[in-house]
Amino acid sequence: MRITQLLLARYGHFQDTALAFDPAISLHIVLGANEAGKSTALSAIADALFGFPHRTQFAFRHKDLRVGIGLQAADGRTGTFYRRKGMKDTLRGLDDTPLPESVMSAFLAGAGRARFEDMFGMDRAELRRGGTAILDGKGEVGASIVQAYAGPHHPRVALERLNDEALKLYGDKRGGRAFHIAADAFRAARHDIEERSVRPTAHKQAVEERDACLKSRADTAARLRALETERSRLDRIRRTAQPRAALAGHRAARDALGVVPDLPADAAKRRARAMQDREILRRELERLQVEQDRDQAALESLVPDVAILGEAGNIDALAADLKRIEGAQRDRETQRQEAARAQARMAEAGRRLGLALDPPTLMARLPDDLARAAAARAIDDHTALVARRRQLDSDWAHAADSAKTAAKALAALGEPESEDELAVAIDTARAEGRIDDELFQAEREATEASALLARALAALPLWQGSAEALAAAPIPLAAAIEGVGAASSDAEAALAERQRALAEIDARLREMELDLAALLAAGTPPTMAAIDAARARRDQAWRLIRRKLVEGGPPSCPEDMDGLPEDILAGFPGLIAAADALADRRAEEAERVAAYEHLRAGEARGLAQRNLARADLDRALALRQEAQNAWDGIWRPAGIAPGTPPIMREWLGRRDAVLADLREAVAKDAALAQVSARHARARATLLMRLAGEAGASSAAIAPLLRAAERRRSVLEAAWQRHSQARRALADAQGALDAQERKRVALLDEAETWRKRWQPLTAAIGLPENAEAQTGADALAIWSEIERHGRDRHGALQRIDQMTSEIGLFDAQLADCAGRSGAVSAADTQAGLVLCLTDRLTEARSIAQRRDTLTLDVATRAAGLRSAAEKLRAAEDQLATLRALAGAETDEALTGAIDRAAAAADLDRAIAERAAELRLLDDGMSFDELAREAADEIPESLPGRIAEIDERLRILRQANEDVLGRLSRLDNEIRAMEQGQDAAEAAQRMQDAAASAQEIAERYVRLRLAHSLLRAGIDRFRRAQQGPLLSGAGALFAALTCGRYARLATEEADDGKVIVVAQRPDGTHCPADRLSEGTRDQLYLALRLAAIGLHAAHAEPLPFIADDLLASFDDTRAQAALAVLEDFSRTTQTILFTHHAHIAAMADSRTMRVHRIDGAFG
Amino acid sequence: MAFIVGVVESRRSFLFMKFLHAADIHLDSPMAGLTRRSTIPEHVIRHCTRRAFVNLIDLAITEDVDFLLIAGDLYDGDWRDFSTGLFFNEQMRRLARPCILVRGNHDAASIISRQLTLPANVHEMSARKVDRWASDELGVVVHGRSFPDRHIGEDFSDAYPGPEPGKFSIAMLHTSGEDPGEHEVYAPCRIASLAGRGYAYWALGHIHARAVLHTDPHIVFPGNIQGRHARETGAKGATLVETTDQRIVRAAHHDTDVLRWARIEVDLDGAETTPEAAMRLRFAIEAAAGETAGRPLIARLVLRGATPLHAVFLGDPQRMEAECQDAARAAGADFYIERVLIETRPKAAAGEGAMADLAQAFAAGLDEPEAVQKLLQEFARLRADVPVVQGRHGGAFPRTEEDLRALMPEAWQLAEQLLRAGDSG
């Protein structure tokens, strides 16, 4: 197949770009700008031939991609098609009518897009990758052949990777393969489960042991309690013996003292303290009075200097202020010089304003702050006004131009029609998706499902009703079917067995009858029974003869004569002879007799067996009938007369299939109804909005949608254009109006400013028509005058202040000296001040000594009063105690106090002993303790207690042991109850098993892929090696200008078969040792040869080469062009290049160069 | 106190009763299907069934139920750690109210069941005949029968004696019902038959998905209390039943599970690039992550659809799994991936294009009996090495030539992907 033309109507950067490829020309070379390569051309050709993919990189400029292509088949058929991007009907004829894909397929000879792209396209990058792949594959033949057909793939790398990954997963146990790690983890976890699992017997044993320990502990505890009680009793008797005796003694002594006066407990202390206080106080009073008299005399001897003390504050202030006054006298001269400098500067500034005035006058003419601030603001406002005026002029001119342009554009457009209702209808219909297809599909599926159901139902035996009734029929449970069916089958099998057994018995009997008949045909066999019968007849005859002849008995009755001759006497020898003859014959016919008897015995057994078999058969028939009834019974609710269980099992399967078909049919019907309703709604909605529109009567939604979309696009575009123009005009007009308003406002502001400025000029000493800049300069000079005036004024004020302070100090010093009566020879301020301060210091010292003496006298007078009061209190205390004791004198008081103290001591001792006893008596009273101790011998108590202690020690040790065991058992049982987390090990085991399984599944796939790929490459090599290398060798020789004569194969050291290039002299070079450029040539030769072989059994597609020769030198490129030209005679070849020198090499007789302007990549 | 007494008295006078129905506890059984590569922290899955069982007992105590029913499969049959039974006893002591249980197919032969002495408040139904437990105070009678051994093929319910006059009658039954689903068939029965037996409530067990098969009378599978593998998705728990005057007024499911399982199907149909696939993946995961009800969620991701990335996934499944794990981490701290199943299919038919000839040669490898036998022998050895849990092989390994042919397209995809990857991979 050849391409005769390619039209890039809307594709990538292209629009309506056409290329015509004359079939009469062998090789077509397309010369264009860089980046114009295979990616665009090959894709465009592939898209035209096979359709656009869902996503394409060439839709950046045109959304509705469209490519045209002209084709000519080998048999002369031609066709021209368009291909557009879309979901269906993408192949179009010249009149844009949809064409089936089969029309295009007729030119493609079964090739798909992948084959076209892999085999029939090659660019420079692939050529280089192919050469590298030959190197990577070490020139192996199989890999090279695969690459020739399928592109620069890496079979050897693929095989290695498959093998490597598989080996990492599974194999021998070396190298930590993933599978074995998982398997080891599985085994370890399984072992852990066993280790960690708690055994029931261990738990039971521990619990029983613990129960025994508990019982032992309870017994020990009871014995301990009894011993401890006895020990406690003996110990109590022993420890209370001493306090009990002491208490009894104290009680007796107290009783002997009798009644004593009720005195305070501290009466003795109070008496002693009162008597001691009385003596001390009397001595203290005397000492204080002597000291008081001495201090009073000293006080009266000191006289104070009242005059100088009255001026103390003034003298201190003058002394403190003296240094400050001396500093002020020095600073006053400095300030006088500063005032003179400020005055000179003010005079200079006044001259710049044209005012030759003295400083006070100049300061008087200084404009006030308000006036100067107002003037400064006015000047700033004027500057801003000027700047805004310039900007406004520019903006206004621009806005005016914009408004004119927008008005013209709007006028050019008419009033648009609204598209809202149409958009709603389209969205509603589109929301239904591919509803036409869905409806068609749903109808088809519903019909097919119904037909399928009908066929399946008709083919279902045992059922005449509908499928719905079949679904509702109460079919027995599978378990019941299995159970009852098995019973029925068993019964049927048992019956058949019985029938077979009976038939066998009958057959055997029939055989025996035939055998017997055969035996009897030769005469009755002389059996023992026959002999016995003959002998019995003989003996009977003898008994009758004897009875008749010897005993004279009655005649014989007919029964006795049975079997005997009438003339018994005559017949008797015959009977004897017959019996003997039979016995003789039995001896002679022993074999026949044995056979007869055997047959008769067998016949008898057979008859007995037949009777038994018939009974068995009857029972089997009954069981079969019972099972049949049960079988019929479970099917009866469903109204089905069942076949045998196997039949019914098959029937159930077919029933399930019918029910599945029924469910499918119901689902399809429901789906159809739903889709039909959606389709009708969508169609009605669209029709309402498309009245009068072409194509608006279609039954399908898609044409209506297309019509609606077309209409909406038109309306939407018009509406958008109009809206944009309207908005643009409104915006421009609004902007112009705003600028105009700003200009008017600015003029008003300028006038207002002028009116504000005129009065301000006079205020700052300027004429009325002064400009703003003049005003600004004047304001600066006035500020300077003001600053210097303020400096001068400050200096003068400071001088006045310091002069005043010095005068005031002198006056105060003179007054103070006069009031204090001080006379000094000093004539300086400092000398006078020093004289005053010395005198003041002396006066202050005398006053301080007087104050101290006065305070001591007053304090001592208070001490005298206090001591007298305490002496009276001590006397009162002694009087009170004597009254309480009923004593007249202090000596009587002492005796009473001693008796009361003795009684109190005894009472206290009694209480202490009682308290002591309470700590030891275990709650028992004194009398109870006495009774408890009455029967005990105190000397025996320590021995008995020691014995009990020993027994207690032994028991406690035993108890400790039991407690230890109990603790251990409790821990063991608790550990068992908590477990050792065997579940965690189980989880690990489960996880490891899952991992191993997952790894194994992956390994299976890898190994299968590796094995089949290796075999596949080998098979592929065997099939293609000969013809491919032969064809490629010729091409390679041409491409290398005869440097190499042909290609061959050779077995390498590692046993692999590799490609070698053979030189004309017979030497050769392995493919992987060829230079880079030669390997590229080899790869090209292999590919061209592969295409050539493909062409031998299928019509080839065109070969698209993109800049293949860019890296070839001119000689190689010339050779390659010749090879491609020759190759193109059988397989159309189109070479894209952006190298002009390649195009220049083209032979105009057999090659044609097409030029494309601009980038088309 | 007076209020409490009043409530108790009114409860008696109106014969108000509550009971909890659970089944298929499978105490201490492991979570299935997690591989060693799983990034699920141990604490998430540790003691799952125990914690769920504690939740069950908490629920019973909180709801102050009158008794608890466990309709079989308390333990796994081959589990031998006696501490599991001791744990159960401890929980029963905590429950401190009657618990009636039957043994199911799993715990019929459990060594724990045989050896464990149950607390006094636990009544295990006999395996020899239909047993009975009753409470005169509550006016309730429960019939049930334990499995004597694992394989029970007959319908046990036929032998149930029916309701007792004046009593609220409950029947406990471990059964596969009419539709066993993925479970094995044990003690099958007809639902219509159960409904006609006169019991007010059929407490069933064995099916792990909750199902109310019938109301009036109620026939209920409560499901298991904790999902244990990726097919047991959604909330798991027990059924709380409330009655008034011997009529059921409410039968509601209550969650007891401590983690959830989910199956998330990600449609990668038409996904052209790995980032696009990752984006769809994240959308799907984030949608599912919002439905965890505060529990950790373990998800099995199933990638579906025709995509050119199919071969990439097959060639490097761990890369896609890493993407999934990333998305899971982004979705939240409690979201984990159990496994990623790649069920995508190639955009074009396998081996189309220039590779078609090689693909044919690849497939022809299976026409060589010797090579096929060699592969099958190798895979048989591999299968023998794969650890077996509970007597079952989890995976499918090719055993026949047909199995190999079924796997062949997948193997070709692997090979083709590596061929096309060239030196880039």
Side-chain angles (χ1 to χ4, degrees):
Chain A
M1 182 266 280
R2 289 176 179 270
I3 299 171
T4 57
Q5 56 178 316
L6 178 66
L7 173 60
L8 303 172
R10 289 186 290 276
Y11 195 85
H13 282 301
F14 290 108
Q15 182 155 5
D16 297 329
T17 301
L19 289 169
F21 302 110
D22 184 354
I25 298 299
S26 296
L27 179 63
H28 292 276
I29 301 172
V30 180
L31 176 64
N34 205 359
E35 300 300 321
K38 178 190 168 194
S39 57
T40 300
L42 184 60
S43 290
I45 294 171
D47 291 345
L49 295 177
F50 303 103
F52 288 90
H54 180 61
R55 292 187 177 183
T56 173
Q57 57 177 315
F58 300 106
F60 53 85
R61 181 179 174 191
H62 308 289
K63 299 301 175 197
D64 50 344
L65 298 181
R66 191 175 175 89
V67 178
I69 193 163
L71 303 175
Q72 183 183 53
D75 59 6
R77 286 178 294 114
T78 61
T80 304
F81 312 100
Y82 280 102
R83 181 74 76 171
R84 68 175 183 84
K85 190 170 186 310
M87 298 301 290
K88 65 175 187 176
D89 295 337
T90 60
L91 186 65
R92 302 279 173 153
L94 288 175
D95 57 353
D96 202 32
T97 54
L99 296 175
E101 289 295 333
S102 58
V103 177
M104 177 63 83
S105 300
F107 287 90
L108 299 176
R113 184 181 187 117
R115 177 177 288 276
F116 174 66
E117 290 181 342
D118 286 348
M119 195 169 188
F120 292 93
M122 181 187 287
D123 60 9
R124 188 172 51 183
E126 186 195 329
L127 186 67
R128 178 51 46 90
R129 286 200 307 276
T132 306
I134 290 173
L135 179 65
D136 290 344
K138 297 182 178 174
E140 203 178 342
V141 177
S144 299
I145 291 173
V146 169
Q147 289 156 5
Y149 278 88
H153 303 307
H154 296 69
R156 188 181 61 81
V157 175
L159 280 170
E160 284 177 359
R161 288 186 182 169
L162 288 169
N163 195 45
D164 288 349
E165 190 184 343
L167 286 178
K168 283 178 188 169
L169 296 180
Y170 179 74
D172 59 35
K173 297 195 174 181
R174 290 175 300 180
R177 301 183 201 281
F179 179 86
H180 296 304
I181 291 172
D184 289 345
F186 176 84
R187 284 188 285 274
R190 189 171 56 191
H191 179 263
D192 285 350
I193 292 174
E194 286 300 316
E195 288 287 311
R196 295 182 184 184
S197 290
V198 175
R199 303 289 188 273
T201 49
H203 182 264
K204 185 180 177 187
Q205 191 176 348
V207 168
E208 287 173 355
E209 196 175 344
R210 183 179 62 178
D211 291 345
C213 282
L214 286 171
K215 185 173 182 306
S216 171
R217 190 181 66 166
D219 293 346
T220 307
R223 292 171 61 194
L224 277 170
R225 277 196 301 277
L227 282 173
E228 282 168 350
T229 302
E230 177 61 9
R231 190 193 183 288
S232 175
R233 191 181 72 82
L234 296 177
D235 188 51
R236 184 167 57 242
I237 293 169
R238 190 186 61 175
R239 69 175 179 259
T240 60
Q242 188 179 356
R244 268 189 291 110
L247 181 58
H250 291 328
R251 282 178 177 173
R254 179 63 182 88
D255 291 345
L257 274 178
V259 179
V260 294
D262 186 14
L263 291 173
D266 58 347
K269 284 184 183 174
R270 285 162 66 181
R271 180 190 65 82
R273 192 165 57 242
M275 290 181 75
Q276 186 182 4
D277 289 349
R278 184 173 61 183
E279 187 58 31
I280 292 169
L281 287 167
R282 281 174 183 163
R283 287 198 297 273
E284 180 68 9
L285 276 171
E286 288 172 6
R287 184 184 63 79
L288 287 174
Q289 191 58 53
V290 171
E291 291 176 352
Q292 186 73 340
D293 293 344
R294 185 192 64 210
D295 287 350
Q296 189 64 44
L299 182 61
E300 287 168 0
S301 67
L302 293 173
V303 178
D305 184 352
V306 177
I308 200 70
L309 287 172
E311 288 298 320
N314 292 329
I315 292 168
D316 290 340
L318 287 168
D321 211 20
L322 180 61
K323 283 189 186 307
R324 184 179 65 82
I325 292 302
E326 288 173 347
Q329 285 171 340
R330 289 190 298 272
D331 191 35
R332 185 166 53 180
E333 190 55 34
T334 306
Q335 291 299 322
R336 281 181 181 139
Q337 293 169 4
E338 184 68 27
R341 280 196 296 275
Q343 185 171 340
R345 287 171 184 152
M346 287 178 71
E348 170 59 23
R351 278 194 295 279
R352 293 213 304 273
L353 278 177
L355 299 173
L357 301 173
D358 59 350
T361 311
L362 204 53
M363 285 303 288
R365 294 279 296 274
L366 178 69
D368 61 23
D369 290 345
L370 287 174
R372 279 187 288 153
R377 282 197 301 276
I379 291 165
D380 291 343
D381 292 347
H382 181 266
T383 305
L385 280 172
V386 170
R388 285 168 57 199
R389 173 62 185 265
R390 285 197 203 99
Q391 181 64 40
L392 270 179
D393 287 347
S394 169
D395 293 347
W396 187 89
H398 181 69
D401 290 345
S402 298
K404 282 180 193 166
T405 307
K408 275 185 198 169
L410 181 63
L413 299 170
E415 189 65 25
E417 183 182 345
S418 172
E419 46 120 10
D420 292 346
E421 292 181 348
L422 185 59
V424 170
I426 290 172
D427 290 344
T428 305
R430 204 173 286 289
E432 296 296 344
R434 300 165 64 96
I435 190 69
D436 287 338
D437 293 348
E438 281 188 53
L439 180 61
F440 175 76
Q441 183 74 8
E443 286 171 348
R444 190 172 58 77
E445 289 177 354
T447 306
E448 287 175 357
S450 297
L452 189 64
L453 174 63
R455 285 197 298 275
L457 190 63
L460 181 70
L462 304 177
W463 186 260
Q464 302 303 321
S466 65
E468 290 78 4
L470 180 64
I475 302 302
L477 282 173
I481 293 172
E482 285 303 316
V484 179
S488 176
S489 297
D490 291 347
E492 194 67 44
L495 177 62
E497 178 62 25
R498 300 290 180 272
Q499 287 172 335
R500 186 187 58 75
L502 185 60
E504 284 178 1
I505 293 168
D506 285 343
R508 281 204 311 273
L509 283 173
R510 278 195 298 278
E511 286 175 6
M512 281 189 282
E513 282 174 4
L514 291 174
D515 292 344
L516 278 172
L519 276 174
L520 291 173
T524 303
T527 64
M528 276 306 296
I531 294 171
D532 289 345
R535 285 176 177 170
R537 283 196 299 274
R538 181 197 67 189
D539 294 344
Q540 177 66 9
W542 173 248
R543 279 193 297 274
L544 291 175
I545 294 169
R546 180 182 173 83
R547 186 167 64 192
K548 180 178 179 183
L549 297 179
V550 178
E551 298 170 0
S556 303
C557 59
E559 291 79 11
D560 295 338
M561 294 297 290
D562 187 21
L564 297 179
E566 290 183 4
D567 185 357
I568 194 165
L569 287 175
F572 183 67
L575 290 173
I576 293 171
D580 293 343
L582 276 175
D584 294 342
R585 275 178 58 203
R586 179 174 173 77
E588 293 165 0
E589 299 181 38
E591 189 176 345
R592 182 165 166 264
V593 169
Y596 176 79
E597 287 180 341
H598 176 72
L599 283 173
R600 289 304 300 264
E603 185 183 43
R605 282 197 306 275
L607 288 172
Q609 287 174 348
R610 186 167 65 181
N611 289 337
L612 289 173
R614 279 179 175 162
D616 288 344
L617 181 62
D618 291 343
R619 280 197 296 277
L621 281 168
L623 286 174
R624 201 267 307 263
Q625 188 57 46
E626 191 179 333
Q628 185 63 43
N629 290 342
W631 178 243
D632 293 344
I634 65 171
W635 288 96
R636 195 168 298 117
I640 293 170
T644 63
I647 290 172
M648 293 315 290
R649 273 194 286 275
E650 184 187 346
W651 185 87
L652 281 172
R654 295 171 69 176
R655 169 185 173 269
D656 289 343
V658 171
L659 294 184
D661 291 341
L662 172 62
R663 286 192 293 274
E664 183 70 15
V666 170
K668 296 299 180 192
D669 285 345
L672 174 59
Q674 192 182 10
V675 172
S676 295
R678 286 167 48 209
H679 189 276
R681 277 199 304 274
R683 184 170 180 274
T685 306
L686 284 172
L687 286 176
M688 279 177 63
R689 306 297 170 207
L690 287 175
E693 195 75 18
S697 58
S698 172
I701 296 296
L704 294 177
L705 265 177
R706 284 195 293 274
E709 282 291 2
R710 284 195 299 273
R711 182 162 173 70
R712 182 167 75 162
S713 298
V714 171
L715 293 178
E716 190 177 44
W719 181 258
Q720 283 183 351
R721 284 195 300 275
H722 190 269
S723 295
Q724 285 169 353
R726 217 170 43 228
R727 279 197 301 276
L729 178 58
D731 292 346
Q733 193 61 49
L736 182 60
D737 292 347
Q739 294 301 330
E740 192 62 41
R741 284 194 296 276
K742 287 179 183 174
R743 285 183 69 184
V744 171
L746 194 65
L747 289 174
D748 290 346
E749 282 185 51
E751 186 56 30
T752 305
W753 182 86
R754 176 63 59 188
K755 288 176 183 170
R756 184 157 61 97
W757 174 246
Q758 283 173 353
L760 291 174
T761 54
I764 61 174
L766 295 176
E768 186 177 308
N769 57 351
E771 290 300 322
Q773 184 56 45
T774 307
D777 295 342
L779 283 177
I781 295 170
W782 278 120
S783 295
E784 195 178 336
I785 291 170
E786 182 184 26
R787 191 171 68 251
H788 295 317
R790 199 178 296 121
D791 292 345
R792 176 179 170 275
H793 180 70
L796 291 177
Q797 277 186 331
R798 182 74 183 136
I799 291 166
D800 292 346
Q801 184 185 354
M802 285 186 286
T803 304
S804 169
E805 286 174 354
I806 292 166
L808 180 61
F809 182 82
D810 289 344
Q812 286 173 344
L813 182 60
D815 288 349
C816 181
R819 281 192 301 275
S820 60
V823 178
S824 172
D827 57 352
T828 64
Q829 293 164 331
L832 189 53
V833 168
L834 181 61
C835 176
L836 285 170
T837 51
D838 289 347
R839 198 175 143 199
L840 179 59
T841 303
E842 176 63 22
R844 277 175 172 160
S845 173
I846 292 168
Q848 189 175 6
R849 287 201 299 277
R850 281 182 59 82
D851 290 346
T852 304
L853 285 170
T854 303
L855 183 61
D856 289 348
V857 168
T859 304
R860 197 173 294 114
L864 284 167
R865 286 192 298 275
S866 173
E869 284 174 8
K870 287 177 182 173
L871 182 61
R872 276 195 301 277
E875 293 287 0
D876 291 348
Q877 179 70 21
L878 286 169
T880 303
L881 287 173
R882 283 194 300 270
L884 285 173
E888 296 291 333
T889 65
D890 288 344
E891 288 72 21
L893 173 61
T894 302
I897 286 174
D898 290 344
R899 273 204 323 280
D905 287 344
L906 283 171
D907 287 343
R908 193 162 48 250
I910 289 168
E912 285 172 359
R913 292 287 84 74
E916 185 182 348
L917 201 56
R918 271 199 300 280
L919 295 174
L920 304 170
D921 63 7
D922 294 340
M924 295 172 70
S925 67
F926 181 82
D927 294 340
E928 288 170 339
L929 290 172
R931 278 197 300 277
E932 183 181 60
D935 298 333
E936 295 294 342
I937 301 168
E939 294 74 15
S940 69
L941 292 178
R944 290 172 62 190
I945 288 173
E947 180 190 342
I948 289 173
D949 282 347
E950 178 59 19
R951 289 167 63 191
L952 279 171
R953 188 187 65 74
I954 294 168
L955 278 175
R956 281 177 183 143
Q957 182 60 48
N959 197 38
E960 286 294 319
D961 294 344
V962 170
L963 285 174
R965 290 218 319 275
L966 262 179
S967 173
R968 178 178 57 76
L969 288 166
D970 279 342
N971 287 336
E972 282 180 14
I973 291 169
R974 199 175 303 116
M976 288 181 190
E977 286 172 351
Q978 289 174 351
Q980 301 177 61
D981 209 359
E984 185 274 335
Q987 184 66 59
R988 271 193 286 118
M989 188 175 86
Q990 185 78 256
D991 295 354
S995 292
Q997 178 194 318
E998 188 183 69
I999 292 164
E1001 288 176 355
R1002 175 76 178 169
Y1003 176 83
V1004 164
R1005 283 150 182 79
L1006 290 166
R1007 285 289 299 138
L1008 183 62
H1010 180 266
S1011 176
L1012 294 183
L1013 181 59
R1014 193 173 55 189
I1017 291 171
D1018 198 42
R1019 182 181 291 257
F1020 199 62
R1021 177 183 66 77
R1022 289 198 302 273
Q1024 305 291 343
Q1025 178 177 323
L1028 184 75
L1029 289 187
S1030 172
L1035 290 165
F1036 187 58
L1039 284 168
T1040 58
C1041 302
R1043 186 177 173 198
Y1044 293 97
R1046 65 189 187 89
L1047 294 172
T1049 60
E1050 183 181 275
E1051 189 170 326
D1053 294 341
D1054 58 1
K1056 291 178 179 168
V1057 180
I1058 60 171
V1059 178
V1060 296
Q1062 209 166 58
R1063 299 186 184 91
D1065 62 2
T1067 60
H1068 62 257
C1069 177
D1072 59 329
R1073 294 188 195 163
L1074 293 170
S1075 69
E1076 189 178 65
T1078 312
R1079 280 203 310 271
D1080 293 351
Q1081 289 172 313
L1082 173 58
Y1083 182 73
L1084 178 60
L1086 286 167
R1087 170 61 60 84
L1088 295 178
I1091 294 174
L1093 286 176
H1094 176 79
H1097 55 82
E1099 184 173 352
L1101 300 178
F1103 178 61
I1104 311 297
D1106 180 16
D1107 246 358
L1108 285 186
L1109 314 182
S1111 61
F1112 286 19
D1113 57 31
D1114 285 353
T1115 308
R1116 285 181 175 180
Q1118 192 71 55
L1121 278 177
V1123 167
L1124 290 176
E1125 190 274 328
D1126 185 52
F1127 181 72
S1128 190
R1129 295 178 195 280
T1130 53
T1131 300
Q1132 183 187 24
T1133 301
I1134 302 173
L1135 172 65
F1136 283 79
T1137 182
H1138 66 275
H1139 290 291
H1141 74 279
I1142 299 291
M1145 294 178 192
D1147 183 343
S1148 60
R1149 291 168 299 177
T1150 55
M1151 306 178 194
R1152 176 163 299 166
V1153 177
H1154 307 264
R1155 296 178 188 276
I1156 295 181
D1157 295 330
F1160 55 103
Chain B
M1 180 59 80
F3 169 75
I4 296 172
V5 170
V7 170
V8 172
E9 286 176 351
S10 72
R11 182 167 162 163
R12 295 278 182 270
S13 63
F14 286 102
L15 285 176
F16 177 75
M17 183 176 73
K18 265 188 189 180
F19 65 90
L20 193 57
H21 169 203
D24 303 289
I25 314 289
H26 295 275
L27 264 181
D28 278 346
S29 59
M31 306 283 110
L34 302 177
T35 65
R36 289 165 50 250
R37 280 207 322 279
S38 298
T39 56
I40 303 166
E42 187 187 356
H43 71 85
V44 173
I45 56 173
R46 192 177 182 83
H47 294 159
C48 258
T49 52
R50 282 200 186 202
R51 286 187 280 142
F53 191 63
V54 168
N55 284 351
L56 177 74
I57 302 305
D58 285 347
L59 175 64
I61 294 169
T62 306
E63 290 290 340
D64 191 20
V65 300
D66 292 291
F67 54 90
L68 168 67
L69 303 176
I70 298 178
D73 289 357
L74 175 59
Y75 313 110
D76 268 359
D78 56 351
W79 187 240
R80 307 171 71 84
D81 183 11
F82 197 61
S83 74
T84 305
L86 298 175
F87 168 78
F88 172 73
N89 276 5
E90 178 194 333
Q91 294 302 314
M92 288 300 102
R93 282 190 283 275
R94 198 164 72 84
L95 175 67
R97 60 202 76 204
C99 170
I100 303 97
L101 60 89
V102 296
R103 292 193 203 178
N105 56 299
H106 270 287
D107 48 8
S110 165
I111 188 168
I112 299 174
S113 294
R114 288 202 307 274
Q115 300 280 351
L116 190 68
T117 302
L118 294 168
N121 61 324
V122 181
H123 178 86
E124 183 180 279
M125 293 291 191
S126 169
R128 292 193 303 277
K129 59 182 177 53
V130 178
D131 200 354
R132 175 180 183 275
W133 176 89
S135 166
D136 292 337
E137 183 188 8
L138 298 170
V140 64
V141 62
V142 181
H143 289 138
R145 183 178 173 187
S146 291
F147 273 32
D149 53 57
R150 181 184 179 93
H151 300 288
I152 298 300
E154 75 263 29
D155 183 355
F156 260 7
S157 67
D158 286 344
Y160 278 49
E164 295 184 10
K167 302 276 191 185
F168 183 83
S169 296
I170 299 172
M172 296 176 72
L173 183 62
H174 196 78
T175 173
S176 55
E178 288 184 3
D179 178 13
E182 65 175 8
H183 300 272
E184 293 180 65
V185 175
Y186 291 114
C189 60
R190 294 284 306 257
I191 303 310
S193 169
L194 299 187
R197 297 300 306 276
Y199 285 99
Y201 188 90
W202 280 90
L204 307 185
H206 183 60
I207 304 297
H208 287 194
R210 172 177 160 76
V212 179
L213 304 178
H214 198 280
T215 54
D216 194 20
H218 276 69
I219 303 176
V220 176
F221 278 115
N224 52 352
I225 65 168
Q226 171 61 58
R228 295 184 301 135
H229 52 73
R231 294 189 304 281
E232 294 183 348
T233 58
K236 295 291 179 181
T239 300
L240 181 67
V241 184
E242 298 175 42
T243 72
T244 299
D245 289 336
Q246 302 199 341
R247 282 187 305 102
I248 292 175
V249 294
R250 187 175 297 118
H253 171 82
H254 286 250
D255 297 346
T256 59
D257 48 355
V258 296
L259 65 85
R260 293 271 162 86
W261 294 82
R263 178 185 172 92
I264 301 174
E265 301 210 348
V266 185
D267 183 6
L268 297 180
D269 198 59
E272 303 273 346
T273 62
T274 305
E276 184 182 350
M279 187 178 66
R280 292 197 201 179
L281 188 70
R282 283 169 196 274
F283 285 159
I285 286 178
E286 283 166 7
E291 300 169 0
T292 60
R295 293 167 174 79
L297 186 71
I298 301 179
R300 173 172 288 185
L301 293 185
V302 185
L303 312 184
R304 290 191 182 285
T307 166
L309 299 173
H310 173 72
V312 178
F313 296 162
L314 285 181
D316 190 1
Q318 292 180 5
R319 180 176 160 198
M320 197 60 208
E321 193 165 319
E323 285 281 354
C324 296
Q325 297 288 4
D326 280 348
R329 275 191 288 276
D334 272 349
F335 192 99
Y336 310 99
I337 302 295
E338 177 246 9
R339 187 174 290 190
V340 180
L341 295 184
I342 297 170
E343 295 185 0
T344 51
R345 56 185 191 281
K347 187 78 175 172
E352 189 195 305
M355 290 278 198
D357 297 332
L358 182 58
Q360 285 179 6
F362 182 93
L366 291 175
D367 296 336
E368 296 174 11
E370 191 178 339
V372 167
Q373 282 310 311
K374 196 174 166 189
L375 280 170
L376 289 176
Q377 284 168 5
E378 181 181 352
F379 296 154
R381 285 195 298 275
L382 171 66
R383 184 173 184 276
D385 286 347
V386 172
V388 175
V389 178
Q390 293 182 340
R392 273 185 255 169
H393 264 301
F397 295 92
R399 301 187 193 200
T400 63
E401 183 185 328
E402 286 67 35
D403 293 344
L404 291 179
R405 288 191 187 282
L407 271 181
M408 191 273 294
E410 211 174 316
W412 169 249
Q413 289 293 331
L414 261 177
E416 187 180 25
Q417 193 272 333
L418 286 174
L419 284 168
R420 290 190 183 279
D423 54 2
S424 63

